[in-house]
Amino acid sequence: MAEEYDLVVLGGGTGGYVAAVRASQLGLKTAIVESGKLGGTCLHRGCIPSKALLRSAEVYKQTKEADTYGIETSEPTLNFFKVQERKQSIVDTLHKGVQGLMKQGKIDVYEGFGRILGPSIFSPSAGTISVEMNNGEENEMLIPKNVLVATGSSPRTLPGLEVDEQFVMTSDEALSMEELPSSIVIVGGGVIGIEWASMLADFGVEVTVLEYLDRILPTEDHEVAKEMTRLMKKKGVKLVTGTKVMGDTLKKEQGIEIQAERNGETETYKADRMLVSVGRTPNVKNIGLENTDIQVENGAIQTNKYYQTKESHIYAIGDVIGGMQLAHVASHEGIIAVEHMSEQDPLPMDMEQVPSCIYSNPEVASVGLTEEQAKEQGYDVKTGKFSFKAIGKALVFGDTDGFVKIVADKQTDDLLGVHMLGPHVTDMISEAGLAKVLDATPWEIAHSIHPHPTLSEVMGEAALAVDGKQIHG
Ligand code: NAD
């Protein structure tokens, strides 16, 4: 059977379902094709479940430290089964919410795997979607005016390193571990590596992180990465940088044994399990791109600033187009794409205004250029930095590690970047994001009144510090 639509979205992850909601608001007859569960990686194998586990790790650690707050308890016991149950119930609640949104928007959901067909009896141009239904019924044919490819990404691994769920995991398998290992080797000290290192160390696991580059969190400001290195070590995490893991040396028996090359020497690492977090690959395979003129470079679909591919009625957004692989980027791109196909004249996205967050303990958040990037781009830079140690609410909260650093242009006073490390900074970065959108100067940020006592005062003080005018430090 063939059904006509204004828009068919391939992939019901955060990018895809948000785009579908916007399309329905704009009056488009919309369908989503999803082979797994609505909500995709972010809801089922990424952001939400990992943050639920991180929160349990934080509570466990804080309970152990309750004495510091004047609360005497017996030694807490970790029930990892319940931790996983809590995680799953949060995911299930949100999953129901997304299903409800589809019903509310009268968006048809096809549970199956969609492929783009070339010109056919259904349409003279490429873009008809053939859906191989999960329930084994005959393929559905969807004939859309526009297509949005939002198929996301999958964890990458290393040559010779096969994921087997028991010894070698990516974040997908790690999220459903039934029990904690007593030791783990994490390959890659990027976002996923550091979130898992922080969580597992707080749960009491012996953690070793092996990072290829000369520092962890290579995309963050160097001062943030340096302080994070100190704090992870304080937690007991062993961080080894400048180390290339050789996947084909893996031996598995009771646990894993793997070799890594460092300064020309070979070192051997042993642990119960291993987590590979070396980036994610866009999901471009098997979706029928070969039937179209869509261009793929370095594994990612190429688009213009409105997310149109070479086939102007086929758009692509989110992890499948590479760049910043973040849920909030995907959903924003989805809205722009749908508004563009509906001739709404949307504003293209400025990547320098996109905040990124790492939910380790302590958290990291940033927006705009790092100090190094600003200098490389030829800016004459001035910076202001303020520590949580002089913020009353941070002392009350019992968490004074970290700081906020503001990077500004010495010539124009323009705000170039904001970099945060510390308690709840992922909830505070939006102020910096708004400041970037409104092109605010550090003076304007400081002029906006930060209530006392709040953690947000650190932002006002860092803004004052850009011109040496901070009050408490
Ligand atoms: P990443 O790119 O952030 O980090 C991968 C790290 O692995 C890099 O530091 C790299 O140098 C290192 N590496 C690569 N090969 C290596 C080798 N052979 N030996 C040792 N180290 C090696 O990738 P990720 O952490 O896997 O995350 C994937 C994507 O998912 C990223 O785009 C990330 O932004 C996104 N993500 C975001 C969040 C969040 O927003 N909080 C959470 C999870 C994932």
Side-chain angles (χ1 to χ4, degrees):
M1 216 180 78
E3 184 80 31
E4 292 188 4
Y5 286 96
D6 293 319
L7 171 65
V8 171
V9 181
L10 216 53
T14 309
Y17 87 71
V18 169
V21 170
R22 188 79 187 102
S24 128
Q25 288 168 345
L26 289 167
L28 303 188
K29 186 184 176 200
T30 304
I32 275 201
V33 182
E34 170 57 56
S35 59
K37 287 181 175 174
L38 284 174
T41 298
C42 172
L43 178 52
H44 300 281
R45 297 178 302 281
C47 324
I48 298 296
S50 64
K51 267 79 258 180
L53 296 184
L54 275 153
R55 173 72 179 135
S56 285
E58 185 186 24
V59 171
Y60 181 54
K61 182 169 174 276
Q62 272 190 348
T63 312
K64 283 204 240 174
E65 293 163 359
D67 195 34
T68 329
Y69 299 83
I71 297 155
E72 289 168 8
T73 57
S74 51
E75 187 66 17
T77 316
L78 180 65
N79 182 335
F80 197 64
F81 180 77
K82 276 197 178 165
V83 168
Q84 286 285 25
E85 262 189 346
R86 176 178 185 272
K87 174 206 84 179
Q88 199 52 46
S89 95
I90 294 167
V91 170
D92 292 345
T93 304
L94 291 170
H95 184 212
K96 280 199 191 100
V98 178
Q99 289 170 317
L101 286 175
M102 297 302 102
K103 274 208 182 96
Q104 195 180 309
K106 299 192 170 40
I107 296 158
D108 291 341
V109 179
Y110 290 85
E111 295 180 4
F113 194 91
R115 286 184 188 85
I116 306 173
L117 302 184
S120 64
I121 49 161
F122 299 108
S123 167
S125 51
T128 295
I129 305 292
S130 161
V131 187
E132 189 180 330
M133 299 300 287
N134 288 351
N135 59 13
E137 283 178 8
E138 197 183 325
N139 279 17
E140 295 275 0
M141 287 294 167
L142 315 181
I143 308 166
K145 290 196 180 99
N146 289 289
V147 176
L148 181 71
V149 181
T151 47
S153 64
S154 305
R156 212 162 67 76
T157 179
L158 296 174
L161 208 59
E162 218 169 281
V163 174
D164 63 7
E165 300 193 18
Q166 193 189 354
F167 294 113
V168 184
M169 309 176 286
T170 66
S171 53
D172 280 3
E173 294 76 29
L175 281 166
S176 45
M177 274 191 288
E178 282 171 11
E179 51 187 66
L180 288 169
S182 60
S183 60
I184 193 161
V185 163
I186 298 179
V187 186
V191 180
I192 295 182
I194 292 306
E195 284 186 358
W196 278 91
S198 168
M199 175 214 301
L200 292 172
D202 285 348
F203 274 139
V205 176
E206 192 186 305
V207 181
T208 304
V209 177
L210 305 177
E211 165 57 46
Y212 176 66
L213 296 175
D214 61 0
R215 64 159 154 123
I216 58 163
L217 303 181
T219 53
E220 295 299 328
D221 189 272
H222 70 284
E223 287 191 73
V224 168
K226 191 173 167 205
E227 181 62 359
M228 193 58 152
T229 300
R230 189 184 73 79
L231 295 170
M232 283 291 131
K233 285 183 176 167
K234 197 170 134 196
K235 240 184 227 295
V237 175
K238 189 173 173 201
L239 295 177
V240 191
T241 53
T243 298
K244 189 175 176 195
V245 174
M246 297 176 293
D248 54 3
T249 66
L250 179 73
K251 286 187 198 150
K252 297 182 279 191
E253 222 168 274
Q254 300 293 55
I256 60 113
E257 185 184 303
I258 192 145
Q259 290 175 351
E261 207 178 87
R262 186 159 178 258
N263 299 328
E265 306 270 314
T266 301
E267 292 170 350
T268 303
Y269 294 89
K270 290 181 186 175
D272 286 353
R273 282 184 159 199
M274 181 171 191
L275 171 68
V276 193
S277 48
V278 293
R280 298 182 62 91
T281 310
N283 291 333
V284 291
K285 286 198 185 131
N286 215 11
I287 56 172
L289 296 183
E290 67 284 2
N291 302 325
T292 71
D293 287 336
I294 294 175
Q295 285 187 333
V296 176
E297 267 174 40
N298 295 324
I301 293 180
Q302 302 299 298
T303 70
N304 67 13
K305 61 185 175 183
Y306 297 112
Y307 308 107
Q308 283 172 297
T309 65
K310 275 275 174 205
E311 304 262 9
S312 60
H313 62 297
I314 305 182
Y315 291 68
I317 54 124
D319 285 11
V320 77
I321 65 168
M324 289 173 100
Q325 294 177 313
L326 302 171
H328 48 279
V329 169
S331 52
H332 207 81
E333 288 172 346
I335 289 171
I336 292 173
V338 167
E339 290 185 349
H340 186 261
M341 65 184 76
S342 312
E343 292 170 10
Q344 298 281 307
D345 200 18
L347 205 60
M349 187 150 65
D350 178 350
M351 283 305 184
E352 275 185 23
Q353 294 173 354
V354 176
S356 52
C357 300
I358 305 173
Y359 298 86
S360 45
N361 182 4
E363 294 181 338
V364 173
S366 59
V367 65
L369 300 177
T370 63
E371 185 178 351
E372 306 92 273
Q373 286 167 339
K375 285 179 177 163
E376 274 164 25
Q377 290 186 21
Y379 286 104
D380 189 5
V381 160
K382 58 180 177 177
T383 63
K385 191 172 159 193
F386 202 84
S387 166
F388 277 104
K389 291 201 168 44
I391 299 296
K393 185 78 178 284
L395 264 91
V396 170
F397 198 71
D399 202 347
T400 55
D401 284 325
F403 56 83
V404 168
K405 174 176 171 180
I406 294 185
V407 183
D409 183 343
K410 213 187 254 181
Q411 308 300 328
T412 62
D413 257 346
D414 280 345
L415 181 67
L416 300 174
V418 178
H419 306 278
M420 302 176 152
L421 171 77
H424 295 283
V425 293
T426 60
D427 293 310
M428 290 200 288
I429 195 67
S430 299
E431 178 186 0
L434 181 63
K436 282 286 289 170
V437 170
L438 298 179
D439 217 0
T441 62
W443 180 86
E444 284 165 325
I445 294 173
H447 197 68
S448 132
I449 294 164
H450 295 85
H452 177 76
T454 61
L455 292 173
S456 73
E457 286 175 273
V458 70
M459 186 72 181
E461 287 277 21
L464 286 170
V466 171
D467 292 309
K469 291 181 181 159
Q470 69 276 23
I471 302 295
H472 293 94

